[in-house]
Amino acid sequence: MPDVVLQDVAKHYGPAVAVANMSLRIGDGELVALLGPSGCGKTTTLRMIGGFVETTSGCITVGGRDVTALPPNRRNMGFVFQNYALFPHMTVAQNVAFGLEMRGVNRSDTDRKVREALVRVRLAQYADRLPRQLSGGQQQRVALARALVIEPDVLLLDEPLSNLDASLRQEMKIEIRQLQQSLGLTTIFVTHDQDEAMSTADRMVLMYNGKVEQVGPPDEVYGAPRSVFAAGFLGIPNLLPGQMLPGQQGFRLEAGPVLRLSGQAAVAGRCFLALRPEVISIHAAPPSDAENCLAGRVEIMTYHGSAVEYQLRTDIGLTLTARAVAPGLGGPALLPEGSRAWLSWPATAGVTVSEN
Amino acid sequence: MRAGQSRSIRIGYTAFSMAVIGFIVLPLIFIVWMSFYSNKILSFPPEGYTLDWYRRAWALSDFRNGFFLSLRTSLIATVVALCLGLPASFALVRGRFWGRETVSTVLMSPMVVPGIVGGSALFVFFLEVEFLTGWRVAGTSLGLIVAHSLIALPWMIRLVTTSLISVNPSIEEAARSLGAAPLTVFFRITLPVIKPGLIAGSLFAFINSFIDLEKSIFLVGPDSTTLQIALINYLEWNFDSTIGAVATVQIALITVLLLITDRYAKLSRAF
Ligand SMILES: Nc1ncnc2c1ncn2[C@@H]1O[C@H](COP(=O)(O)OP(=O)(O)OP(=O)(O)O)[C@@H](O)[C@H]1O
Ligand SMILES: [Mg+2]
């Protein structure tokens, strides 16, 4: 399986920039998820790789072969669309056979490959149905079989799960991952759902406003977001503005106090300390041995069953969110809204992220 | 209370539908019925029944020739409308060009301009063409075919654009990604998917051309009248069941066409 390399790829629509100078290498057999909010350019990037959108500049190579100017029918890529895009006038088997027919594969080989492909997605008994006689999940599996049967160099998927319900999505996610692994397919997967990206991808590409924000394995990106956007998108509500003190030992909050730090990456100038709600402990009385502590008042208390989320207005004017284990599971007693509380966290908690 | 209300609404709705259907169907039934009366002059009640009017209609060369002229003209007009309407529909649905709305309106206009107005305009236009080039169009079969193509075209475009709009563009892209060149995509994917629209468009183009009277009346030559004009001419001097027989044959023809079409392309899906 070949790798895919994007070199300074850009797409402009008149003055609007959909994708700005994007460079990325997707390794042989790797599954990469393009992740980002709506309108950040994920689909545009995928469609440029598939050949459906012309690049404004830059070059795309697959296994060293420049495909930038090739039409989609000569790229040998499997594309799975959000709305399945099955041919409504053809049966399931005819849909899957279409790509083989275009390649001039003979009748008996086609029949065999179609059967194998349908078995692989567990739809062998539906071969003679029309697409409209299938459920959404089944249609998506036909689309997958149709894209895989041509033995593509690259598999491209644009939000393949977003039209499915939650349990089916979970199932399909695992199925896609397993197929991809067993075939060793170089795969690019577009999604705006971070859980989906984290649980399927070898690497995530976080995009924002047509640019790559951060690339890396899911645990790395999740554990160490590098920008305010990345931190916010990955669900970190606590972003404390300030500046690192020399030696990375302290963090001067713009609101005044200095926090203790330990082990965070150095960032020059104005930056943010990103704290996940889970690392912050909440106390009804001032804790004695906390490395960092802020006092405040509970504004909102949300009970989630296994956890309780508190939103606090601190005395220095910052609003922070803390997540505690529910009282029944060993967590602290519930603190009612309006009551006074203290938040604490260790010096090693949190990551420093640059302003943009 | 609620159930009773919705029940009475349903009954009212059914009654209304029946009334509408009755209004449309009853006259047709009467026409078919009266085509079998043996009365010499069309009157009620029937004195007996006969098939003579059908024999007489066939024997009259005006009707026989009119029928074949209409058939030929409408078939050619449908083919012309198909050849022009298919690319035009693609341009209107897929194209992004300045004045698209205007082009669309112009192409649909024969449908809304009264036939008499359109027919006389065409007649004057043909006379001008003849005056300027010496080339005779009015009263020739070419002129008639042009007029009928104008009748057929908007029906074709309306039905083909409707089905084209509903085509999911991703299926064409999917076909491309599977290795199909643009022409292959057109013939293997797009065309089969819009087939119901094409068939329904052709059918309605044909029927509306076949039953046209107003536009044709200006454009037929002295001894080449379409079936509808032959009917009007006949009515001027006669009032017997021959017209009922001719009308019944037309009703049968159109019904058969609709049934055949519906078998190969569900008409309800084309709208
Ligand atoms: N054909 C087009 N003409 C003009 N602008 C376009 C076109 N296609 C996309 N854009 C713009 O390019 C940007 C990126 O669009 P894209 O579809 O790639 O976003 P996305 O990340 O896939 O979003 P979503 O999650 O909503 O699908 C958007 O701002 C969009 O408005
Ligand atoms: Mg998208």
Side-chain angles (χ1 to χ4, degrees):
Chain A
M1 285 293 151
D3 61 350
V4 177
V5 178
L6 276 69
Q7 214 163 53
D8 290 321
V9 173
K11 179 64 193 180
H12 299 201
Y13 288 105
V17 179
V19 175
N21 291 352
M22 180 158 171
S23 293
L24 185 68
R25 179 178 175 276
I26 296 109
D28 184 351
E30 190 182 25
L31 195 163
V32 163
L34 298 184
L35 176 70
S38 188
C40 69
K42 308 179 293 287
T43 298
T44 307
T45 305
L46 198 73
R47 290 169 62 78
M48 283 194 287
I49 300 171
F52 299 118
V53 170
E54 260 180 65
T55 55
T56 305
S57 61
C59 120
I60 300 170
T61 58
V62 176
R65 180 177 70 130
D66 187 342
V67 300
T68 320
L70 283 185
N73 47 315
R74 293 180 45 210
R75 292 195 181 193
N76 197 36
M77 295 182 181
F79 206 111
V80 175
F81 295 82
Q82 182 173 359
N83 55 25
Y84 322 133
L86 298 180
F87 309 132
H89 59 300
M90 296 187 188
T91 64
V92 166
Q94 287 168 337
N95 264 277
V96 178
F98 187 81
L100 297 171
E101 195 184 322
M102 292 299 117
R103 282 163 175 71
V105 176
N106 70 40
R107 194 56 191 269
S108 62
D109 283 351
T110 300
D111 286 349
R112 180 176 49 78
K113 288 183 179 190
V114 168
R115 216 174 318 117
E116 284 169 6
L118 288 177
V119 167
R120 211 183 292 143
V121 295
R122 296 181 286 117
L123 284 177
Q125 68 273 39
Y126 295 102
D128 296 322
R129 292 242 190 130
L130 285 172
R132 64 167 168 275
Q133 298 167 326
L134 299 179
S135 73
Q138 291 167 336
Q139 289 188 40
Q140 194 58 296
R141 295 216 294 274
V142 176
L144 203 55
R146 186 178 67 177
L148 292 176
V149 78
I150 60 169
E151 294 166 23
D153 293 334
V154 184
L155 179 63
L156 306 172
L157 307 113
D158 190 359
E159 311 227 9
L161 309 177
S162 60
N163 283 354
L164 306 176
D165 66 39
S167 68
L168 206 54
R169 198 177 305 160
Q170 183 65 23
E171 197 179 303
M172 279 298 292
K173 194 163 74 179
I174 296 167
E175 201 160 323
I176 288 175
R177 177 66 179 167
Q178 280 172 346
L179 279 174
Q180 186 267 338
Q181 290 282 297
S182 66
L183 300 171
L185 264 177
T186 308
T187 303
I188 305 169
F189 184 110
V190 162
T191 178
H192 59 256
D193 183 272
Q194 52 154 322
D195 283 336
E196 216 166 277
M198 285 191 287
S199 57
T200 50
D202 296 311
R203 274 192 308 153
M204 322 203 287
V205 176
L206 192 54
M207 292 181 70
Y208 181 52
N209 265 344
K211 290 201 246 341
V212 173
E213 253 329 277
Q214 194 169 352
V215 185
D219 54 343
E220 190 185 303
V221 176
Y222 186 78
R226 274 209 299 264
S227 63
V228 174
F229 162 77
F233 189 79
L234 295 171
I236 306 181
N238 303 314
L239 293 164
L240 287 55
Q243 211 159 4
M244 290 184 89
L245 297 181
Q248 283 94 258
Q249 295 300 307
F251 187 85
R252 176 176 296 284
L253 288 174
E254 278 175 7
V258 173
L259 302 174
R260 247 179 271 172
L261 287 186
S262 163
Q264 282 84 350
V267 180
R270 184 172 193 260
C271 64
F272 293 82
L273 180 65
L275 286 169
R276 290 194 175 279
E278 292 82 2
V279 302
I280 304 180
S281 313
I282 188 160
H283 316 269
S288 50
D289 56 348
E291 288 174 301
N292 289 303
C293 181
L294 289 175
R297 194 168 292 283
V298 177
E299 269 188 334
I300 300 169
M301 189 262 293
T302 326
Y303 184 69
H304 289 288
S306 63
V308 187
E309 205 165 272
Y310 293 97
Q311 190 176 309
L312 259 88
R313 179 91 182 152
T314 59
D315 297 343
I316 57 168
L318 289 170
T319 299
L320 291 183
T321 303
R323 202 174 166 89
V325 177
L329 299 170
L334 287 183
L335 289 166
E337 285 171 6
S339 62
R340 206 149 167 75
W342 284 261
L343 298 177
S344 72
W345 64 91
T348 51
V351 288
T352 44
V353 298
S354 64
E355 188 150 24
N356 38 45
Chain B
M1 173 65 197
R2 271 193 73 87
Q5 215 170 20
S6 78
R7 196 182 132 88
S8 61
I9 287 174
R10 210 169 53 230
I11 290 172
Y13 180 75
T14 309
F16 180 73
S17 308
M18 292 308 234
V20 170
I21 291 172
F23 260 111
I24 296 170
V25 172
L26 274 182
L28 295 182
I29 291 174
F30 266 101
I31 288 170
V32 177
W33 188 22
M34 83 180 200
S35 72
F36 298 107
Y37 288 7
S38 59
N39 310 18
K40 282 276 168 295
I41 288 179
L42 192 49
S43 55
F44 195 81
E47 292 154 8
Y49 295 98
T50 174
L51 282 174
D52 274 353
W53 303 116
Y54 287 85
R55 244 169 260 136
R56 180 173 154 77
W58 185 249
L60 286 173
S61 67
D62 270 2
F63 285 148
R64 208 173 54 229
N65 296 339
F67 176 78
F68 287 116
L69 179 67
S70 280
L71 197 63
R72 199 190 62 182
T73 308
S74 298
L75 279 176
I76 296 175
T78 304
V79 172
V80 170
L82 191 61
C83 295
L84 298 179
L86 186 58
S89 302
F90 266 87
L92 290 175
V93 173
R94 302 276 172 90
R96 289 275 162 273
F97 52 90
W98 188 83
R100 197 166 56 112
E101 285 298 310
T102 318
V103 172
S104 168
T105 311
V106 168
L107 286 174
M108 299 305 285
S109 63
M111 222 171 195
V112 288
V113 173
I116 291 280
V117 178
S120 51
L122 260 183
F123 182 60
V124 173
F125 174 69
F126 287 163
L127 290 185
E128 305 247 325
V129 168
E130 191 175 342
F131 179 74
L132 289 174
T133 65
W135 199 38
R136 197 171 143 68
V137 191
T140 66
S141 52
L142 176 67
L144 199 60
I145 286 167
V146 169
H148 279 246
S149 301
L150 286 178
I151 298 167
L153 190 60
W155 287 96
M156 188 69 79
I157 289 179
R158 170 182 272 192
L159 287 153
V160 175
T161 50
T162 307
S163 63
L164 209 46
I165 286 167
S166 66
V167 173
N168 171 4
S170 309
I171 64 170
E172 293 173 344
E173 293 181 342
R176 291 299 300 278
S177 78
L178 292 168
L183 263 185
T184 314
V185 174
F186 177 76
F187 285 110
R188 292 291 311 277
I189 307 295
T190 318
L191 212 50
V193 171
I194 63 169
K195 198 177 75 181
L198 281 175
I199 292 178
S202 305
L203 178 76
F204 281 82
F206 176 84
I207 291 175
N208 280 285
S209 154
F210 193 83
I211 63 174
D212 175 77
L213 172 67
E214 301 96 322
K215 264 203 182 65
S216 318
I217 215 158
F218 292 93
L219 301 168
V220 291
D223 36 43
S224 64
T225 54
T226 63
L227 185 57
Q228 314 308 330
I229 293 170
L231 272 173
I232 287 286
N233 288 344
Y234 184 83
L235 266 175
E236 211 167 333
W237 305 108
N238 310 273
F239 194 65
D240 58 34
S241 288
T242 315
I243 48 165
V246 175
T248 302
V249 169
Q250 291 194 57
I251 292 169
L253 175 75
I254 290 171
T255 308
V256 166
L257 277 179
L258 281 170
L259 288 177
I260 293 176
T261 314
D262 196 55
R263 191 174 142 62
Y264 290 102
K266 284 271 158 262
L267 286 180
S268 53
R269 241 184 258 151
F271 287 94

